[in-house]
């Protein structure tokens, strides 16, 4: 295992990133049937709210502040 790790760490950055992605992806459970359709519907719902000016939007600084507060300012 340590030899494999050492060899992987000698790969160029792009190849290490691709390897890391493939390894993490291999840990995922099989895709949930219909999840892509549900995400598409959710995205369309949100875009419709934005277009209709009924969505409450926040800027990046406010979003960051809220996330830091939620995560306990790690």
């Amino acid at each position: 295992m340590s030899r494999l790790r050492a060899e992987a760490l000698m790969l160029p950055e792009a190849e290490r990133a691709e390897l890391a992605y493939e390894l993490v992806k291999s840990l995922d459970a099989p895709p949930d049937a219909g999840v892509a359709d549900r995400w598409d519907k959710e995205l369309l719902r949100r875009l419709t709210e934005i277009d209709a000016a009924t969505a409450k939007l926040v800027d990046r600084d406010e979003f960051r502040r809220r996330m830091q507060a939620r995560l306990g300012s790690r």
Side-chain angles (χ1 to χ4, degrees), residues 24-38:
V24 169
K25 193 169 79 171
S26 74
L27 299 173
D28 288 342
D32 183 8
V35 74
D37 288 337
R38 289 193 302 273

Side-chain angles (χ1 to χ4, degrees), residues 40-55:
D40 287 345
K41 288 177 184 175
E42 178 64 15
L43 289 170
L44 289 173
R45 183 189 69 76
R46 292 180 186 197
L47 288 171
T48 300
E49 287 181 1
I50 291 169
D51 289 342
T54 59

Side-chain angles (χ1 to χ4, degrees), residues 1 3 8-9 18 20 25 28 30 39 43 46-47 53 62 64 71:
M1 180 69 126
R3 191 192 78 176
L9 290 172
E18 184 178 350
K25 193 169 79 171
D28 288 342
W39 268 115
L43 289 170
R46 292 180 186 197
L47 288 171
E62 174 65 12
R64 179 171 286 148
L71 296 172

Side-chain angles (χ1 to χ4, degrees), residues 6-23:
E7 288 181 27
L9 290 172
M10 291 183 350
L11 293 170
E13 182 179 347
E15 290 181 28
R16 288 193 324 267
E18 184 178 350
L19 176 60
Y21 171 77
E22 292 297 329
L23 288 170

